[in-house]
Amino acid sequence: MELTNKTVLITGSSRGIGAATALAFAKAGSRVILNARHELPASLKQQLDELGAEYCFLPGDVSDEQVVKKLTKTAWEKFGGIDVLINNAGITRDRLLIGMKTADFDEVLQVNLKGPFLMIQALLKKMYKQRAGVIINLASVVGLHGNAGQANYAASKAGIIGLTKTVAREGALRGIRCNAIAPGMIASDMTAAMPQKAQDQILESLPLKRFGEPAEIAQTALFLAQNDYVTGQTIVVDGGMTI
Ligand code: NAP
């Protein structure tokens, strides 16, 4: 699939991986619809403006069904269709399972798994009608391997891999492809919030001896959007973390 003049909706794109992905698609000539709960930083708007990008920002919480219905309707009408949906919004509420609060389990599942389900469901019928659409979900290596202190997050990311495979199977004959990306440790606000000691230990264990850059995840999203013969896959981008 060519990316010029295509419309891409990216949830959670005000910073980190989502923002880098928005910039990468804008550079490739796509129209970009950004989303987050809070306003876009001025620096991101400036970067998009400097690229001459056609873009808009639709604020809203992806775990709220009514918000998602409104947001997807507005997004679809704004540019007359959506070619690529990237479910990127995600949160962590880390704690060992023994002390994890039910509310923290629920919140992570609501945003990381129910959010993508709502977004996909709201857009799928329309994508079926246009007989084309690419869906990319942000999973994590933690969804494949588990991680102490992240039972909620791991469950949400394992869930998204199952969701991805199912959407790929259901959508294949209707022109839809659906894949997931499983990043390892990527430099962003999410990983910067981890205790320094944990960051240092992970860094030391990584074969490539560095955290990934958000732009390196964005490159994978570009690949998945463009390659028409890849569906139902989870692409690990982790600097060798899980070799
Ligand atoms: P981040 O820097 O924390 O950014 C998260 C983005 O999501 C922000 O734009 C945030 O903006 C938005 N967001 C959060 N909750 C939302 C909600 N309910 N509705 C809409 N937007 C929401 O995260 P990141 O590190 O870039 O991670 C992006 C994705 O990659 C996540 O799904 C994450 O689980 C996954 N991932 C990241 C890593 C990593 O190492 N960084 C590794 C594996 C997987 P607001 O706060 O304004 O809403």
Side-chain angles (χ1 to χ4, degrees):
M1 185 178 94
E2 282 291 323
L3 296 178
T4 40
N5 294 319
K6 293 292 190 307
T7 303
V8 184
L9 167 56
I10 307 161
T11 68
S13 40
S14 60
R15 55 178 191 266
I17 293 169
T21 305
L23 288 168
F25 275 88
K27 255 183 220 159
S30 300
R31 291 177 286 267
V32 181
I33 302 169
L34 298 101
N35 152 267
R37 290 164 305 173
H38 308 95
E39 241 314 315
L40 293 185
S43 57
L44 177 57
K45 287 194 235 175
Q46 194 186 330
Q47 282 174 282
L48 288 161
D49 288 337
E50 281 167 8
L51 287 171
E54 202 179 336
Y55 70 96
C56 72
F57 173 63
L58 299 179
D61 183 339
V62 295
S63 68
D64 182 324
E65 189 166 0
Q66 293 314 313
V67 168
V68 167
K69 277 188 181 155
K70 213 173 133 195
L71 189 149
T72 49
K73 187 170 182 286
T74 310
W76 194 276
E77 286 166 0
K78 181 97 189 153
F79 294 124
I82 291 169
D83 302 288
V84 183
L85 163 66
I86 304 182
N87 284 309
N88 170 80
I91 58 166
T92 51
R93 295 286 180 270
D94 297 351
R95 197 162 182 175
L96 290 176
L97 182 74
I98 202 156
M100 187 172 281
K101 293 191 169 47
T102 310
D104 286 344
F105 184 86
D106 287 346
E107 192 185 355
V108 168
L109 269 288
Q110 293 277 332
V111 176
N112 296 7
L113 185 55
K114 188 179 153 200
F117 162 75
L118 292 174
M119 291 293 302
I120 293 169
Q121 205 180 42
L123 289 173
L124 205 53
K125 209 188 250 181
K126 289 185 165 79
M127 283 184 168
Y128 281 173
K129 273 195 192 139
Q130 71 184 9
R131 294 201 73 78
V134 175
I135 298 166
I136 299 168
N137 297 319
L138 267 292
S140 166
V141 290
V142 168
L144 292 166
H145 300 279
N147 192 26
Q150 292 198 304
N152 48 4
Y153 186 76
S156 73
K157 295 302 187 180
I160 215 163
I161 291 169
L163 177 69
T164 299
K165 291 178 183 177
T166 302
V167 174
R169 285 186 183 276
E170 290 186 7
L173 290 179
R174 297 178 175 95
I176 308 301
R177 289 188 300 106
C178 182
N179 291 287
I181 303 174
M185 276 292 277
I186 308 302
S188 75
D189 288 357
M190 183 178 275
T191 44
M194 291 170 63
Q196 191 58 48
K197 201 172 155 206
Q199 289 189 46
D200 293 345
Q201 277 171 353
I202 293 170
L203 188 59
E204 186 49 39
S205 73
L206 289 177
L208 290 184
K209 295 286 175 237
R210 67 173 180 85
F211 291 171
E213 293 299 325
E216 291 170 318
I217 303 303
Q219 275 177 2
T220 313
L222 290 178
F223 162 76
L224 287 173
Q226 286 171 291
N227 192 316
D228 292 328
Y229 203 55
V230 181
T231 196
Q233 301 306 305
T234 300
I235 311 290
V236 174
V237 186
D238 71 350
M241 185 187 221
T242 58
I243 292 171

